[in-house]
Amino acid sequence: MTRRYGDADSAESLRAELLLGYFEIERLGRAVIGRSEAAEPDGRLRAMATSRLLGRGTWPEASRIGEILRKETLGGALLIVAALTAILWANSPVGDSYISLRDYTIGPERLHLDLSLGAWASDGLLAIFFFVAGLELKREFVAGDPREPSRAAVPVVAALGGMAVPALLFTLVNLGGAAGSLKGWAIPTATDIAFALAVLAVISTHLPTGLRTFLLTLAVVDDLFAILIIAFFYTSNLHSEWLLLAAVPLALFTVLVQRRFRGWWLLLPLAAATWGCVHASGVHATVAGVLLGFAVPVLRRDDKDGQGLAEHFENRFRPLSSAFAVPLFAFFSAGVALDGWSGFTNAMSQRITIGIIAGLFLGKTIGVFGSTWVLARFTRAELDDDLEWLDVLGLAMLAGVGFTVSLLIGELAYRVGSVTDEYVKVGVLMGSLISALCATVVLRSRNRKYRQIAERETRDDDHDGIPDIFGEGEQED
């Protein structure tokens, strides 16, 4: 007869844990009766019970992540086009028109919303980006693979290392520099997932599921800490009364979405009111997007509930974020006007620029790779059988592609349009470019292996729509 299991990996892992539990019980029993020798599980069972670094996870999670990455790849391509357009325009004979467009003010003055188009892009449009990030964060830690501590540990530790080391390098480079230069310590701490995925699309590499999951989860955790950094370190002139007032529309929004209410005619005004109050409070308005995203429930109430509300909103707003909000922000933020080659070399010689480049390339590489290696060295975690440490190195370099949040923090740290702000843009662009080129070399060298893994991961001999590597296991009895 044939026995079928819902998930081969889960069944095998459960069997390993049960057997290890049996050995531990036997060891205790032998100790009680005075026998010192204790049975040891064989190496295969201990390996099965060992945490896997960059493992592939479950099929639903891998499928969902694949769908997200496909959408983000398109957004990354648009982001690159928007940034290049801004740079070319700003350095063209009509560059002044770009500056005039970016600084054009629009909005109701009575509500203190008479902002420049550049400010609307960073304060308003990026709130959509952070709303989607909030949905993704909650989705990952409530229903995704990272809800399991053993799986969450690796990307969380990697993200922390990938933020701490860049900040440290930037600080060391700028010690003793110009007054106020240390304000930008957090600029090289962010990873831009859309930009990174656009790089992968350009070099046509086939990352295994484990690496793709690791990259996305690392970026999600990275976004979470970036949000906390913005909220706690880049908030000035806090007006607590506006922050308290923001709690009213946010609470109403929360009550409605928790009841699975989907009417945009009421939810959008409440979201806009929350954003406006947070903006007036002095806390960066993008934090409102995250709070609204956290309010949306992830799990379905029952089988009749259909698509979960978080998934519903994510499907609706991710295209708006990837194809419109982020590229438009990039367009208004990346336009650095340099005075020819001399202006570029001058910017490259500045401590702030050097600190950002060192942080994005060296800091991210050392932080992500080093923390992952340390975790593997001092725990029972080990690389998945298909992967090598060279793969982790390439992914760590790719994490140095920082753009959207890095430029945002740069605008918060230094005045928009200032000379220092221009140094930030050059540093972010060059650091991201160097990271992308080095990651390309490393990952392309492994592309043949990735293709073999991809073919095995997509093989579906029983034509049930689920790749065999994720599908149901069979055991002949």
Side-chain angles (χ1 to χ4, degrees):
M1 66 182 281
T2 300
R3 291 181 182 173
R4 303 183 67 86
Y5 300 94
D7 186 315
D9 288 342
S10 299
E12 196 73 1
S13 298
L14 177 60
R15 176 172 173 268
E17 293 297 335
L18 289 173
L19 286 174
L20 282 175
Y22 164 77
F23 283 117
E24 293 300 325
I25 292 172
E26 184 177 358
R27 177 184 285 109
L28 289 173
R30 290 172 181 268
V32 169
I33 62 175
R35 296 178 61 178
S36 59
E37 67 270 18
E40 288 288 339
D42 59 46
R44 187 179 69 86
L45 290 175
R46 188 166 291 281
M48 287 163 53
T50 298
S51 301
R52 286 286 182 178
L53 279 169
L54 316 187
R56 64 176 180 270
T58 62
W59 165 243
E61 186 71 4
S63 177
R64 188 188 64 83
I65 286 174
E67 181 182 354
I68 291 174
L69 296 186
R70 283 191 292 272
K71 293 178 181 177
E72 291 285 10
T73 300
L74 174 61
L78 293 175
L79 184 152
I80 293 175
V81 171
L84 289 176
T85 302
I87 294 170
L88 294 174
W89 188 353
N91 290 279
S92 70
V94 292
D96 290 341
S97 62
Y98 170 83
I99 304 298
S100 299
L101 177 64
R102 184 194 65 192
D103 296 339
Y104 181 76
T105 301
I106 188 173
E109 185 176 355
R110 289 185 176 181
L111 298 177
H112 303 288
L113 293 177
D114 49 334
L115 308 175
S116 67
L117 291 179
W120 275 111
S122 62
D123 290 8
L125 291 179
L126 275 195
I128 301 174
F129 165 78
F130 277 102
F131 174 69
V132 176
L135 291 172
E136 183 61 29
L137 278 167
K138 189 171 181 180
R139 168 66 179 78
E140 287 297 309
F141 287 99
V142 172
D145 280 346
R147 72 186 184 279
E148 303 174 16
S150 60
R151 284 191 174 275
V154 178
V156 168
V157 170
L160 286 173
M163 298 186 81
V165 178
L168 178 61
L169 286 180
F170 180 91
T171 302
L172 291 176
V173 171
N174 285 276
L175 281 176
S181 59
L182 291 178
K183 292 180 180 178
W185 63 271
I187 294 173
T189 61
T191 295
D192 194 308
I193 184 64
F195 207 151
L197 293 172
V199 171
L200 290 178
V202 170
I203 65 178
S204 299
T205 188
H206 296 72
L207 280 187
T209 304
L211 287 177
R212 285 183 285 148
T213 304
F214 178 78
L215 177 62
L216 179 62
T217 309
L218 183 147
V220 166
V221 176
D222 190 287
D223 284 343
L224 173 61
F225 287 111
I227 292 161
L228 294 175
I229 287 173
I230 291 172
F232 286 101
F233 295 98
Y234 291 97
T235 295
S236 59
N237 302 321
L238 180 65
H239 302 286
S240 56
E241 66 277 9
W242 282 104
L243 203 57
L244 292 173
L245 190 59
V248 177
L250 178 60
L252 292 174
F253 181 92
T254 302
V255 170
L256 290 174
V257 293
Q258 288 295 326
R259 292 176 177 271
R260 275 57 177 182
F261 179 81
R262 303 189 181 197
W264 62 268
W265 54 272
L266 184 54
L267 293 180
L268 283 183
L270 289 174
T274 304
W275 176 89
C277 291
V278 172
H279 181 272
S281 73
V283 177
H284 197 265
T286 52
V287 174
V290 180
L291 296 175
L292 292 166
F294 282 169
V296 180
V298 170
L299 301 178
R300 293 181 298 176
R301 185 165 44 192
D302 50 51
D303 292 338
K304 297 180 181 180
D305 198 28
Q307 189 183 53
L309 197 56
E311 186 179 359
H312 170 73
F313 283 156
E314 189 177 333
N315 289 337
R316 289 291 182 90
F317 286 95
R318 186 179 292 279
L320 180 63
S321 171
S322 300
F324 179 73
V326 174
L328 202 56
F329 166 78
F331 173 77
F332 283 115
S333 297
V336 52
L338 299 172
D339 185 19
W341 180 251
S342 60
F344 175 74
T345 54
N346 175 61
M348 288 294 291
S349 65
Q350 302 298 318
R351 286 193 179 191
I352 289 177
T353 308
I354 296 172
I356 293 172
I357 294 174
L360 286 175
F361 177 55
L362 296 177
K364 281 289 186 181
T365 302
I366 296 172
V368 173
F369 181 86
S371 57
T372 306
W373 183 86
V374 168
L375 190 66
R377 175 67 177 82
F378 293 101
T379 69
R380 292 191 300 168
E382 59 184 27
L383 279 180
D384 195 73
D385 294 336
D386 290 323
L387 304 178
E388 297 180 3
W389 282 107
L390 186 63
D391 303 315
V392 183
L393 178 64
L395 210 64
M397 291 177 175
L398 191 62
V401 177
F403 196 82
T404 306
V405 180
S406 293
L407 290 176
L408 174 61
I409 294 176
E411 292 182 358
L412 297 176
Y414 311 110
R415 185 171 56 85
V416 177
S418 65
V419 175
T420 306
D421 184 49
E422 303 299 315
Y423 299 155
V424 170
K425 294 175 181 178
V426 173
V428 170
L429 291 170
M430 291 306 299
S432 299
L433 180 61
I434 294 171
S435 298
L437 291 175
C438 292
T440 297
V441 172
V442 174
L443 295 176
R444 283 291 296 178
S445 69
R446 292 275 293 160
N447 204 33
R448 179 178 297 180
K449 177 65 175 179
Y450 295 158
R451 287 180 182 273
Q452 295 173 356
I453 298 173
E455 290 175 1
R456 189 166 68 253
E457 287 184 341
T458 56
R459 185 175 178 178
D460 184 16
D461 291 337
D462 54 6
H463 306 291
D464 63 351
I466 300 177
D468 298 333
I469 198 169
F470 291 101
E472 296 179 331
E474 292 189 3
Q475 176 181 319
E476 297 296 331
D477 201 23

